[in-house]
Amino acid sequence: MSFTFNDHSNLDGTHAYLSASSHSWLNYSDDHMREVYFNQLMKQRGTQLHAFAEMANRLGIKMPRNHKTINEFINDGLGYNMSSEVVLYYSPNCYGTADLIGFDEKRNLLRIFDLKTGLKDVLEFGQLHIYAALFCLEYSKDPMKLQYDLRLYQNDEVRQEEDTDPSEIRDIVELIMHFDGMINDMKDEARSSRAIL
């Protein structure tokens, strides 16, 4: 007769903080464990804030003008008639979701705004450059002919990138196409080697 294990089907799809598969916690100090725990809470809060901002945008609900990050993000998106949580797709290997995006065809102006809910002060525009490149690829736009308004919202501060260099966006477009081709070639190689085996 085989051993009967306890039923924990209620935990399917969940992850424990002290997971055996993520065993790096074995080396944590108390301070680091606190940091990891509170970072996880901040991620959950960030997910909720993004959902709130998306709903406010879709419903056209303006927020009080008090320089709070979430309020400025929502109000600016509504003010520029931007769309929220838009998937930008090039291939199964490369796509992403822009928090807020809008394109003014008359002015060839691409706006992409990103809400950062973490407390860290790392505000880099690389993620927004990738979204801009994906937009150009999906909608057949020449990145050299566009103007850009890229903004990061974090810690009650709005940072707008000054003078986005269109050649940086063009270089990312080319890199996406190059790496996408490489990945597809490697997938073909992997399929061929499995067929041989």
Side-chain angles (χ1 to χ4, degrees), residues 148-184:
Y148 301 90
D149 180 359
L150 307 179
R151 301 183 193 186
L152 293 167
Y153 293 72
Q154 183 180 31
N155 298 333
D156 298 335
E157 177 186 0
V158 179
R159 277 198 42 217
Q160 183 174 11
E161 184 175 57
E162 295 181 25
D163 301 321
T164 301
D165 183 354
S167 66
E168 286 185 34
I169 309 303
R170 181 200 59 213
D171 292 348
I172 294 170
V173 164
E174 291 172 359
L175 190 61
I176 288 171
M177 293 168 57
H178 172 70
F179 282 154
D180 184 63
M182 278 186 67
I183 291 167
N184 288 332

Side-chain angles (χ1 to χ4, degrees), residues 77 80-88 98-103 110-113 131-132 135 139:
Y80 289 115
N81 197 30
M82 298 172 76
S83 299
S84 64
E85 300 299 321
V86 174
V87 174
L88 298 167
D99 292 346
L100 282 174
I101 188 169
F103 183 60
L110 177 62
R111 287 189 172 92
I112 303 173
F113 299 170
Y131 291 146
F135 171 82
Y139 297 98

Side-chain angles (χ1 to χ4, degrees), residues 92-112:
N93 302 317
C94 189
Y95 55 90
T97 304
D99 292 346
L100 282 174
I101 188 169
F103 183 60
D104 182 335
E105 292 186 80
K106 289 181 183 175
R107 295 172 56 200
N108 263 355
L109 174 61
L110 177 62
R111 287 189 172 92
I112 303 173

Side-chain angles (χ1 to χ4, degrees), residues 12 40 45 54 62-63 65 86 111 120 133 150 153 171 189:
D12 286 350
Q40 186 62 33
R45 178 172 164 73
E54 179 184 12
K62 290 190 176 185
M63 305 303 292
R65 294 210 171 269
V86 174
R111 287 189 172 92
K120 295 182 180 175
L150 307 179
Y153 293 72
D171 292 348
E189 285 176 39

